[in-house]
Amino acid sequence: MNMLEAVRLVAARELKVKLRDKTFLISTLFFLLFAFGSSVLPALFAGGPSSVAVAQGSPYEGKLRDAGLDVKVVANPEQTVRDGDADAAVVDKNAQPEVLAMKDAPSDVVSALSVQPAVQLLDPDAVNPVAAFLVPFMFALVFFFTSLTFGIQIAQSVVEEKQTRMVEILVAAVPVRALLIGKVAAGGILALAQVALIAVVTVTGAQFTDDADTLLPLLGPAMSWFIPFFVLGFIMLAALWAAVGALVNRLEDVGNAGMPVQLIVMLPFFLVIFLNDNPLAMRILSYVPFSAPTAMPVRLFDGSAAGWEPFVSLVILALAAAGALLIGARLYEGSLLRTNARTSWSAAWRDRELRSI
């Protein structure tokens, strides 16, 4: 069979195995529930508007209704609050409103009766401070956990094939590079599908929030760019994780052998989190291949990136991904059939045992 058919065969096998894995299915369900809950629960726990009791003909009834409060017109507002049928009551005292409540007056009732000063927004298009923190955090978190989780799974899959000697059968049937590319392709498909499901669930849950109309239009361009950046970034890291799996012969050694790869995943994660308010640092990070998948979408979200910048950053990332594939393939080929002891990075780089297969 040719290379394309071999890659397709390996990828199909990896997908079938992973889709039957209960751990993968349960973890995916957990991420979906977490994404939906983080979007919906804050709105649910916030509750509805406060209920407020007023007397018949109260001059404050219209203002309270305009504020969206649940207004109840009763004969005795104070008794209504004491009976627990309303959160607060508003009565007229010396031509001034007075709020009656059992312990603390609801803030929305007080706000509705307060005189609001005139406000002029000097930067009306500025991103909400909470969103400005959460969006970089979520982009970095998704890329960090997805690339790390699926990358380690790819490495473990390689080790399991070496332990069971299955790798010798696979190498005899398909080219070694097809085996590597098939594993990376299958992991990328599953990771991208999981991220897409999380995005759909998150956007659906965001419809329940009050900021949906302003936040979602800002997220659209950033999320659309995040997909190609995520795919290339994942390919770059997955190839290195596959090489890590080929270097060792026991699952217990994956962590130690993969420490360099873990560091180049963790460092950009923390840099984007802690430096997202530093324009110069974020501009640099958006061109560094290991941090570009999160830094550039964040800059697109806050509007600090020029229209040409994501294209340049994507080209740099694509070249880095291609280089990582070549490096990973060489290490993978040089260590895959070594089953006696752990292979060093330098020994795997020098070994050409499988290059002719």
Side-chain angles (χ1 to χ4, degrees):
M1 66 180 71
N2 58 37
M3 178 66 74
L4 182 59
E5 292 175 342
V7 170
R8 188 183 305 165
L9 180 64
V10 173
R13 172 182 173 272
E14 293 291 326
L15 289 172
K16 289 179 181 178
V17 171
K18 188 57 66 177
L19 291 176
R20 293 173 182 172
D21 185 1
K22 293 183 179 179
T23 303
F24 168 74
L25 297 176
I26 292 174
S27 64
T28 301
L29 180 61
F30 171 79
F31 279 124
L32 294 178
L33 291 175
F34 178 79
F36 186 77
S38 62
S39 301
V40 175
L41 290 181
L44 293 179
F45 285 128
S50 300
S51 58
V52 55
V54 296
Q56 184 70 37
S58 172
Y60 311 111
E61 179 181 350
K63 182 180 293 188
L64 295 170
R65 291 190 186 278
D66 292 340
L69 300 174
D70 179 17
V71 179
K72 298 181 178 180
V73 179
V74 297
N76 191 335
E78 180 178 344
Q79 189 60 43
T80 302
V81 175
R82 292 183 181 278
D83 294 340
D85 296 328
D87 298 319
V90 177
V91 298
D92 186 66
K93 185 174 183 180
N94 299 326
Q96 294 293 329
E98 183 178 51
V99 178
L100 306 177
M102 293 302 296
K103 293 183 179 179
D104 297 313
S107 59
D108 50 358
V109 175
V110 176
S111 177
L113 297 172
S114 302
V115 178
Q116 301 294 331
V119 177
Q120 181 182 1
L121 299 179
L122 300 178
D123 189 7
D125 296 326
V127 180
N128 181 283
V130 177
F133 170 77
L134 290 179
V135 169
F137 180 78
M138 290 305 298
F139 276 130
L141 191 67
V142 168
F143 183 75
F144 172 74
F145 275 108
T146 304
S147 60
L148 190 63
T149 301
F150 281 92
I152 291 177
Q153 289 177 357
I154 291 174
Q156 291 175 339
S157 173
V158 176
V159 176
E160 290 171 356
E161 290 173 354
K162 292 182 67 174
Q163 288 181 329
T164 60
R165 316 292 285 193
M166 178 66 70
V167 66
E168 297 175 6
I169 301 175
L170 294 173
V171 168
V174 298
V176 177
R177 293 204 173 191
L179 189 59
L180 170 66
I181 297 173
K183 286 182 176 295
V184 172
I189 292 172
L190 291 172
L192 184 60
Q194 191 176 79
V195 169
L197 286 173
I198 292 174
V200 170
V201 170
T202 302
V203 171
T204 302
Q207 303 296 330
F208 293 89
T209 65
D210 295 334
D211 296 330
D213 294 337
T214 57
L215 184 60
L216 293 180
L218 294 174
L219 274 174
M223 292 178 67
S224 61
W225 273 106
F226 180 68
I227 294 174
F229 275 97
F230 173 85
V231 171
L232 291 176
F234 181 87
I235 291 174
M236 175 178 60
L237 295 172
L240 298 179
W241 275 114
V244 168
L247 292 173
V248 300
N249 299 302
R250 300 186 309 164
L251 292 174
E252 295 83 358
D253 296 332
V254 171
N256 291 333
M259 186 59 65
V261 184
Q262 293 185 50
L263 289 176
I264 62 179
V265 174
M266 294 176 62
L267 185 59
F269 169 74
F270 289 109
L271 288 177
V272 172
I273 292 299
F274 293 113
L275 299 178
N276 68 85
D277 57 348
N278 187 320
L280 178 60
M282 289 298 291
R283 180 175 297 175
I284 296 173
L285 290 174
S286 64
Y287 290 101
V288 177
F290 296 108
S291 57
T294 53
M296 183 56 76
V298 169
R299 292 186 62 214
L300 291 169
F301 171 75
D302 61 26
S304 62
W308 56 268
E309 289 192 76
F311 295 98
V312 175
S313 178
L314 198 62
V315 170
I316 295 174
L317 181 58
L319 294 175
L325 271 175
L326 293 176
I327 294 172
R330 180 158 179 166
L331 295 172
Y332 188 79
E333 292 173 337
S335 56
L336 187 60
L337 291 183
R338 290 174 174 261
T339 57
N340 295 327
R342 174 179 168 180
T343 307
S344 66
W345 292 80
S346 58
W349 183 263
R350 293 192 306 267
D351 196 335
R352 295 183 178 274
E353 178 182 359
L354 296 178
R355 302 277 154 73
S356 60
I357 297 180

